[in-house]
Amino acid sequence: MLPIEKYTFGVGDRFAHQAVAQLRAFQLLADEGVDVTPVWNKSNREHTFVGSQPQSVFDAAKSAVEQLGWDKSWHVDADHIQLTTVEPFLPCSDFFTIDVADSIGKPASPDDVAAFVDRHPELVGSLQIDGMSAPLEVTKEDVLRVAEQYLLAVNEAGAIYRHIVDTKGDDNTIAEISMDETDAPQTPPELLVILAAIADEGVPVQTIAPKFTGRFNKGVDYVGDLKQFAREFNDDVSVIAHAVKTYGLPKTLKLSVHSGSDKFSLYPIIRECLQRTGAGLHLKTAGTTWLEEIIGLAEAGGDGLKLTKEIYAYALEHVDEFCAPYASVIDIDHTKLPAADTVNQWTGQRMASAIRHIQSNEHFNPHMRQLLHVSFKVAAKHGSRYTDLLKSNAAIVGGEVTKNIFERHLRPLFVG
């Protein structure tokens, strides 16, 4: 396998124009003595919406690396791929987020389930795991239930992984398994059973993305019980360390937090755990950069502000259509979305203040921010009009992108 670095941070770039601005944020962090590896990610769904190809992500990242003289590691993530969508990503990706959410809950073969349970008697009982305040209490029925729910998904992950390495070779592949886009969170005992199954399947997984309790909505802060998240996150870190020792999984295996962008209330919890345990982390953002583009164009005024208002007005007219694919990761109160006529009267600063995620700002509107987060295809419809404005306003847009990643994400997560 290709070993993953201890700290990795996924950055999305919908239109492949901000790779340099994104990479500057990692340079600023490195100047403070903390190395975090950038991972450029874009899913098949996003490519479809925008009309781009996976190669464009690699090309933009490589150009940024060369332009800024970045001499540290970097990766390109084939985000949320399945067997039916992985092919175009194979030549240009080295990080593969294998999404098995659709198979979770589908029944595995009874013989396979029974064999798994018989093979792992060590999973049953009062399990003492280093770092946990209390033992995990797991019954044979618990193992059977989890195996029935997840074994088929793990088998699918194995099939996808083997297809990838048949083409790229295992020394050019980082494997992540994603289970976050499901209805129910995975508890720490369930995660342990799942990791045992992954080890049996022979997948050298290096990051795993469980679903945590609470809401991880796109582009806004976490909604949920912070104390419960802290327990889950810390227990998951302990379970992973235990599984690495018990099942021979890669020593680089670490938690991956999906839709991690803007989860500001969680960053102190995560940072404390990493500092205390020495664990690694992969945190993934996506549409945040696109929102910073909109903010920058609004502040630029003129044609940039005009287009920003047009994009919002169109998104408002198609709110149900745009929100449908993201229903599980957004919460928008339609009554709190300002009318297009109202927004048309705003200055660029007022528009930017409504979208920029500074919760103390009286004008910040999380509903408007979430709607624009999932409406990037509107900008794609404008084609060169949008991208030409990004180019002509590169300084102000890029400044917003760098500031957002460095000041609001990387520093709080890894410095404090």
Side-chain angles (χ1 to χ4, degrees):
M1 67 181 186
L2 175 64
I4 195 170
E5 295 76 15
K6 184 174 183 179
Y7 301 135
T8 49
F9 187 93
V11 284
D13 189 7
R14 298 285 198 253
F15 300 98
H17 277 67
Q18 305 307 326
V20 169
Q22 292 170 325
L23 189 55
R24 282 198 185 102
F26 294 87
Q27 286 184 318
L28 291 170
L29 191 69
D31 290 344
E32 296 196 5
V34 181
D35 286 337
V36 175
T37 298
V39 182
W40 278 275
N41 54 261
K42 192 171 181 180
S43 68
N44 181 71
R45 176 170 62 185
E46 290 156 6
H47 281 296
T48 301
F49 285 167
V50 173
S52 57
Q53 295 297 321
Q55 185 67 39
S56 65
V57 180
F58 176 88
D59 292 344
K62 184 172 184 292
S63 177
V65 166
E66 293 172 349
Q67 183 174 331
L68 295 183
W70 179 257
D71 60 358
K72 304 176 188 295
S73 55
W74 56 281
H75 302 291
V76 175
D77 178 9
D79 190 17
H80 285 284
I81 50 91
Q82 298 173 333
L83 204 55
T84 56
T85 58
V86 68
E87 217 63 33
F89 293 90
L90 292 173
C92 50
S93 302
D94 59 355
F95 189 120
F96 292 84
T97 299
I98 300 171
D99 189 335
V100 295
D102 289 347
S103 295
I104 293 174
K106 293 181 179 178
S109 158
D111 290 343
D112 289 347
V113 171
F116 175 83
V117 175
D118 290 343
R119 195 161 55 243
H120 290 288
E122 80 287 352
L123 288 170
V124 178
S126 185
L127 310 181
Q128 298 286 343
I129 294 180
D130 291 344
M132 296 186 67
S133 58
L136 288 183
E137 303 295 341
V138 185
T139 67
K140 186 173 182 178
E141 290 71 25
D142 292 331
V143 178
L144 180 66
R145 174 184 54 79
V146 178
E148 288 174 340
Q149 188 174 7
Y150 289 96
L151 201 56
L152 191 67
V154 171
N155 292 343
E156 181 185 352
I160 298 170
Y161 175 76
R162 287 185 287 273
H163 178 73
I164 294 168
V165 299
D166 282 348
T167 300
K168 298 191 68 70
D170 53 11
D171 57 345
N172 292 308
T173 302
I174 294 169
E176 168 169 302
I177 295 180
S178 166
M179 303 177 296
D180 67 303
E181 293 193 354
T182 57
D183 293 333
Q186 294 90 31
T187 65
E190 288 174 336
L191 180 61
L192 180 59
V193 176
I194 292 165
L195 290 172
I198 291 171
D200 285 356
E201 189 65 25
V203 179
V205 62
Q206 295 191 72
T207 76
I208 187 159
K211 181 180 177 67
F212 297 98
T213 300
R215 295 282 297 184
F216 281 73
N217 292 331
K218 294 286 187 181
V220 291
D221 206 349
Y222 174 77
V223 180
D225 185 330
L226 293 178
K227 290 182 179 179
Q228 183 174 5
F229 174 82
R231 287 193 300 271
E232 287 183 6
F233 189 88
N234 282 274
D235 287 352
D236 282 352
V237 167
S238 298
V239 163
I240 285 174
H242 176 80
V244 167
K245 291 186 292 185
T246 304
Y247 300 113
L249 289 164
K251 293 180 180 180
T252 47
L253 176 59
K254 58 186 180 177
L255 276 177
S256 177
V257 181
H258 281 205
S259 294
S261 50
D262 297 80
K263 303 304 177 284
F264 302 141
S265 62
L266 300 185
Y267 291 174
I269 295 170
I270 294 172
R271 186 182 67 250
E272 187 280 330
C273 179
L274 301 185
Q275 292 174 346
R276 176 171 44 81
T277 64
L281 174 73
H282 180 61
L283 185 136
K284 183 173 293 188
T285 71
T288 300
T289 289
W290 138 251
L291 290 172
E292 297 308 314
E293 289 178 340
I294 289 291
I295 290 167
L297 291 180
E299 291 196 318
D303 290 340
L305 176 58
K306 180 181 178 183
L307 180 56
T308 299
K309 292 176 177 179
E310 289 177 24
I311 289 171
Y312 175 71
Y314 190 90
L316 193 60
E317 291 177 356
H318 297 80
V319 59
D320 292 333
E321 172 193 341
F322 291 164
C323 291
Y326 299 94
S328 64
V329 286
I330 55 174
D331 279 319
I332 296 176
D333 183 342
H334 293 199
T335 67
K336 295 183 179 178
L337 293 170
D341 288 345
T342 299
V343 172
N344 282 337
Q345 304 305 312
W346 288 354
T347 65
Q349 290 294 329
R350 175 68 177 83
M351 183 82 171
S353 295
I355 307 167
R356 186 183 289 116
H357 196 178
I358 298 180
Q359 297 178 48
S360 59
N361 190 308
E362 62 177 329
H363 296 307
F364 172 61
N365 186 324
H367 308 279
M368 188 176 181
R369 180 175 171 86
Q370 287 179 88
L371 175 58
L372 284 168
H373 193 294
V374 300
S375 301
F376 57 92
K377 67 168 93 173
V378 185
K381 290 178 182 293
H382 288 279
S384 61
R385 181 187 174 200
Y386 180 73
T387 54
D388 285 349
L389 282 167
L390 293 181
K391 294 173 186 176
S392 60
N393 296 283
I396 188 169
V397 172
E400 293 292 341
V401 170
T402 301
K403 184 190 302 182
N404 174 60
I405 294 175
F406 177 62
E407 294 185 2
R408 300 190 192 104
H409 292 84
L410 291 175
R411 288 199 88 257
L413 267 168
F414 299 106
V415 179

